[in-house]
Amino acid sequence: MKCELCHQADAQTAITRGEGDEAEELYVCHACAKAERLKRQKKSQRTRKVTGLPPGMSMSITQISRSPDGEITEDPVDGENPPPFIGAIMNAFQDMVSDIEKAQQTAKAEKGPKYHDFPVPRVDAAYRIGNRLHLEGLHLIGELDAVKRALRALKMELVGVSADGINETGHVYTLRYSGSSEQAKRVVEDLLREERNARVRLFEELPRVLGDSLCRALAVMKNCRLLSPGEYFDLLSPLRLAAKEEMLDGIDSAEIERRLAEADLTSSEDKLEQAERDRIDAERADEMNARFEDVVLNERAEEKFL
């Protein structure tokens, strides 16, 4: 009897090929029997148990690779197809990495341009307090918000000071710019021209607006029971404009400038207990009550504002 596989050599032994209902017994030569045995061993070596899978379930080893267009692909070993969820997991991971990269790029773009602080030491002293621009005039005539919008369009911004709960106290600002220093210089020149015009308008066209601000500031200084540094600085701001025009009796411009320079805008008292803060604010209020008791608008100011 000839081998039932090669049909050339004589049959020498019997083997079983296939499983279950498809199993069949064949009489084959020694060479074909050995080839079938090696084939079964090779197949068994391609299959490994995977921790975490249900009992009895196995998974073939598959090569995971990336195609030229970036897509995750599955290259089966020895022609055996892998479970489809492996590719799905890898593609999901790729999407997650891609989303992270996009988020990082978006965050970097949202940071916007790098800003620089414009130095103000050479600015006319009448329009600065310390290292900040003093724009009380533009605030009082109601044009400060429009100025801020115009500056944002030029990729510039006015950064005020918040202290002790007072937002943009004293209306003093640092100008931050992202373009050239020459452009920033021209913008500052235009800005100071507008502030100068605003102060002229207050004295000539809107005296009641300025007078209201001055009288409110003096009333608080004379009668407050608690006074924080931030509010103190804010009240001195309009008084500075009047003092420079010599419209106050009882205090001069130099003293107001000194008080503004010495004001603490760091909100350092926030670290104290409430009782201690109230005590310090009360002492400051009592001091200002006494100091401003005799500070009044002079006759020239009364003619303008009253």
Side-chain angles (χ1 to χ4, degrees):
M1 179 180 179
K2 295 294 183 181
C3 174
E4 293 183 276
L5 289 179
C6 68
H7 304 291
Q8 293 180 4
D10 291 336
Q12 297 170 306
T13 185
I15 65 171
T16 300
R17 189 170 68 172
E19 296 179 359
D21 295 335
E22 296 180 359
E24 58 179 341
E25 188 177 72
L26 301 174
Y27 291 92
V28 298
C29 64
H30 287 311
C32 288
K34 182 179 179 180
E36 283 295 309
R37 185 171 63 255
L38 291 175
K39 184 177 179 180
R40 288 195 302 272
Q41 290 176 350
K42 186 176 182 181
K43 182 177 180 180
S44 67
Q45 290 170 358
R46 291 199 306 268
T47 303
R48 298 289 185 270
K49 294 294 182 180
V50 179
T51 303
L53 294 178
M57 184 176 179
S58 63
M59 183 177 69
S60 61
I61 302 300
T62 303
Q63 178 182 355
I64 304 299
S65 63
R66 187 186 301 271
S67 64
D69 61 0
E71 184 70 15
I72 297 298
T73 61
E74 305 165 355
D75 299 331
V77 176
D78 294 329
E80 192 166 307
N81 291 326
F85 72 87
I86 292 295
I89 290 174
M90 293 302 295
N91 280 321
F93 180 76
Q94 181 192 30
D95 292 341
M96 180 182 71
V97 172
S98 178
D99 289 342
I100 292 174
E101 292 174 347
K102 290 178 181 178
Q104 290 174 339
Q105 292 174 356
T106 300
K108 185 177 180 180
E110 288 177 350
K111 288 182 179 179
K114 182 179 180 179
Y115 283 88
H116 307 277
D117 291 351
F118 184 84
V120 299
R122 295 183 180 179
V123 171
D124 188 333
Y127 302 103
R128 61 180 170 85
I129 296 177
N131 291 322
R132 299 183 178 94
L133 300 173
H134 187 211
L135 304 178
E136 185 69 27
L138 286 168
H139 163 68
L140 289 176
I141 68 172
E143 292 186 1
L144 193 51
D145 286 340
V147 169
K148 291 178 181 178
R149 289 193 297 270
L151 289 174
R152 283 196 294 268
L154 296 172
K155 290 184 171 51
M156 300 182 184
E157 60 183 1
L158 288 174
V159 181
V161 181
S162 295
D164 305 302
I166 308 297
N167 190 37
E168 298 187 356
T169 182
H171 304 102
V172 293
Y173 301 91
T174 298
L175 177 73
R176 305 183 69 227
Y177 66 96
S178 61
S180 68
S181 59
E182 288 300 318
Q183 181 193 33
K185 182 179 179 181
R186 291 193 298 270
V187 169
V188 169
E189 290 174 352
D190 293 340
L191 182 59
L192 296 183
R193 184 184 64 247
E194 294 305 313
E195 172 63 17
R196 181 167 55 253
N197 292 339
R199 295 183 185 185
V200 171
R201 286 190 60 193
L202 284 170
F203 286 107
E204 302 298 331
E205 302 174 22
L206 303 169
R208 185 169 286 270
V209 173
L210 179 57
D212 179 74
S213 179
L214 297 175
C215 291
R216 286 175 184 272
L218 287 174
V220 174
M221 288 291 200
K222 293 171 184 285
N223 298 283
C224 61
R225 309 312 300 148
L226 295 169
L227 186 63
S228 69
E231 185 181 10
Y232 171 59
F233 187 87
D234 197 55
L235 294 171
L236 288 173
S237 181
L239 294 177
R240 181 180 190 245
L241 301 187
K244 283 190 171 297
E245 295 297 323
E246 298 182 351
M247 291 185 168
L248 297 177
D249 280 345
I251 195 169
D252 59 17
S253 178
E255 181 177 347
I256 289 183
E257 294 284 357
R258 177 179 59 79
R259 290 181 176 276
L260 285 166
E262 294 174 352
D264 180 8
L265 301 181
T266 63
S267 298
S268 58
E269 293 180 10
D270 288 350
K271 302 175 183 178
L272 304 176
E273 295 291 335
Q274 187 62 50
E276 180 65 10
R277 289 178 59 186
D278 288 346
R279 184 189 66 78
I280 295 174
D281 288 352
E283 291 180 354
R284 186 181 296 108
D286 292 344
E287 179 186 349
M288 292 306 106
N289 292 166
R291 176 62 190 89
F292 281 84
E293 181 179 6
D294 295 325
V295 177
V296 295
L297 298 177
N298 59 24
E299 293 181 0
R300 178 169 174 247
E302 288 181 351
E303 292 175 359
K304 278 280 186 184
F305 306 139
L306 303 180

